[in-house]
Amino acid sequence: MYVCLCRGITDQDIKDAVENGASSYRELREQLDLGTCCGRCAPEARAVLNDALSETAARLGYAA
Ligand code: FES
């Protein structure tokens, strides 16, 4: 699913960025150039980022 139409970034791209160490919206922007055009993707990108971080934490045994 496309999250950022301006840059052609998908939810899988965001999940891959988290796997590669991104842990904040700022780091996502730096890695993917996400949200740097119209910015309308920011809320959805943050939601996908938070889900990916939660999944990673759970997989690593850090979930509450
Ligand atoms: Fe992401 Fe426009 S949809 S910057």
Side-chain angles (χ1 to χ4, degrees), residues 2-54:
Y2 280 100
V3 174
C4 178
L5 294 175
C6 294
R7 303 293 186 212
I9 298 168
T10 66
D11 57 339
Q12 188 60 53
D13 293 327
I14 294 172
K15 292 173 187 174
D16 290 344
V18 169
E19 286 294 318
N20 289 324
S23 60
S24 68
Y25 183 69
R26 176 186 289 184
E27 290 172 354
L28 268 189
R29 286 178 59 119
E30 290 172 1
Q31 281 194 30
L32 301 176
D33 200 28
L34 168 107
T36 56
C37 187
C38 73
R40 280 183 282 187
C41 55
E44 182 64 19
R46 288 178 194 276
V48 174
L49 169 66
N50 288 336
D51 286 349
L53 290 172
S54 294

